[in-house]
Amino acid sequence: MSKAPRSATAYRDWGSDESRTSIMHVDMDAFFAACELARRPELRGLPVIVGGRGRGVVLAATYEARAFGVRSAMPMVSAVRLCPQAVIVPPDHRRYTDVSRSVMATMAEITPIVEQISIDEAFLDVSGARRRLGPPTAIGARLRAHVQKVHGVTCSVGIAKNKFLAKLASTHAKPDGMLLVPDESSVPFLRTLPVGALWGVGEKTEAVLARWGVTTVAQLADTDVATLQAAVGRVSGAHLHDLAWGRDPRPVVPTNRERSIGNETTFGSDQDDLVAVEARLLELCDQVAGRCREAGVVTRTVALKVRTNDFRTLTRSRTLDGPTDVARDLYRVARELLAAVDLRGLPVRLVGVRAENLQDRAGFAEQLTLDEASSARPSARREAELALDAVRERFGSSAIGLGAGGMAAARQRAFEDADRLRDSRHAPAG
């Protein structure tokens, strides 16, 4: 949990307008302790401290232990003195790392713009994922449900127009909550907070500001910049004044460049109808290609993953003749890979497709296939799928069905739209 002070009035409904709130901060709740409770449910409801005994320090504590004043980084001796009945659990860093990687991978499936800032928290820019997954609150709810279902731990989500506000929102949503701060509510939200809630205001700065009569964010915002600079310095004074008015220009910077983009699905019941498996594969290729276009990348390698009902997992991959971000190209290869897999007559439990060996679309010279080169419309396939993107962006991700029949019909309509657009561009003047 954030050490910054919270306001009792800040966690409330600030409105529902999500049009200018695409930044999300996800923070795992008492992460190390939650991981331990997930595999030792008999400890739920008890004060649990994760850390070494003796001269060790507290790495994490459940909210039941925090009620006694136990905090992270506190000497274990002090923690035990405050809460002698606490259950002390030694840390399992390998498990925490495994869960963290899985959660971060889930975030990367939502958007390639993920900035991990610690083992248990990250910023996401979901502006490019709206047409595929819905508004930020829907994305946040889906992520929270998935993390709890898969790992048995909870996370809190803050949604706002920038990183600073999203971080404050997640702090006030804890534990296991989600808080949206619409753009027009940013300043009213901030004015409910104590000045110590601002980034960069530690105990010393807070004491200095208090001597100048500034103890709340509202008072800080109403103080002229020159006075603040006299109190805490030229740079800090201007910075804190910007924060008090909700100004934070920093973008979400991906921690690591995404090396692959993939989607997979587990069937509700084991599937022995390969036509149905191929139909699902088509949906997955459409999703992956859309995410590639969102991220502005193309792929050179298509990978297939199949798991049969005996939990045997098979993977196959093939390098393409040229890079692409077109679903039809991915599906053609993925379907051929599926046909070549020896399923031993067993039903399919899971199928997935992944685009690997990614590169920026802007950085490559498009190489046409033989079929495309001989066609009068070499870019028709991509234009059709861009038309689908536009429909989904306008009417929502469910506007066009992703079943095999629906996909074929939708693609045909999109091709027709692309043809009309192209004809209008090349029609003779006059």
Side-chain angles (χ1 to χ4, degrees), residues 74-222:
M74 174 182 288
M76 186 63 73
V77 173
S78 301
V80 172
R81 187 181 303 120
L82 290 170
C83 187
Q85 70 271 42
V87 179
I88 311 300
V89 178
D92 182 352
H93 291 287
R94 176 172 294 182
R95 174 171 173 76
Y96 309 150
T97 300
D98 289 343
V99 174
S100 174
R101 285 175 176 168
S102 179
V103 172
M104 296 301 163
T106 299
M107 295 182 192
E109 290 182 1
I110 294 172
T111 173
I113 309 176
V114 178
E115 181 179 352
Q116 182 177 355
I117 56 178
S118 72
I119 192 172
D120 61 353
E121 61 179 314
F123 287 104
L124 293 77
D125 184 338
V126 297
S127 55
R130 284 174 176 263
R131 67 169 178 261
R132 179 168 51 91
L133 299 176
T137 53
I139 295 172
R142 178 178 176 182
L143 173 63
R144 293 177 60 228
H146 175 84
V147 169
Q148 185 164 29
K149 179 180 179 180
V150 174
H151 301 291
V153 299
T154 63
C155 60
S156 296
V157 175
I159 302 167
K161 67 178 181 179
N162 58 40
K163 292 166 69 173
F164 164 62
L165 287 162
K167 169 70 173 176
L168 283 177
S170 71
T171 296
H172 285 82
K174 282 183 168 291
D176 191 20
M178 181 166 63
L179 179 61
L180 166 71
V181 180
D183 184 16
E184 65 273 13
S185 299
S186 297
V187 173
F189 167 71
L190 286 169
R191 293 181 75 88
T192 68
L193 304 179
V195 72
L198 299 183
W199 283 351
V201 178
E203 292 181 2
K204 293 182 178 179
T205 302
E206 189 172 8
V208 170
L209 291 171
R211 289 198 293 270
W212 287 72
V214 177
T215 59
T216 68
V217 174
Q219 291 170 333
L220 192 151
D222 294 338

Side-chain angles (χ1 to χ4, degrees), residues 263-295:
N263 283 82
E264 62 184 43
T265 184
T266 300
F267 292 101
S269 58
D270 297 338
Q271 188 60 254
D272 54 10
D273 182 357
L274 280 184
V275 174
V277 176
E278 289 179 349
R280 187 63 59 86
L281 192 61
L282 178 59
E283 294 179 14
L284 295 172
C285 288
D286 181 69
Q287 294 167 12
V288 170
R291 290 177 58 199
C292 285
R293 292 191 293 272
E294 274 184 15

Side-chain angles (χ1 to χ4, degrees), residues 4 32-33 43 50 55-56 61 66 81 95 135 143 187 240 284-285 312 322 405:
F32 292 176
L43 297 180
V50 178
R55 293 191 295 174
R66 294 180 184 190
R81 187 181 303 120
R95 174 171 173 76
L143 173 63
V187 173
L240 292 179
L284 295 172
C285 288
R312 184 173 57 110

Side-chain angles (χ1 to χ4, degrees), residues 329-346:
D329 297 338
L330 303 185
Y331 177 63
R332 184 181 66 251
V333 174
R335 187 181 180 188
E336 292 173 356
L337 292 172
L338 177 63
V341 171
D342 181 10
L343 299 176
R344 301 179 185 174
L346 296 175

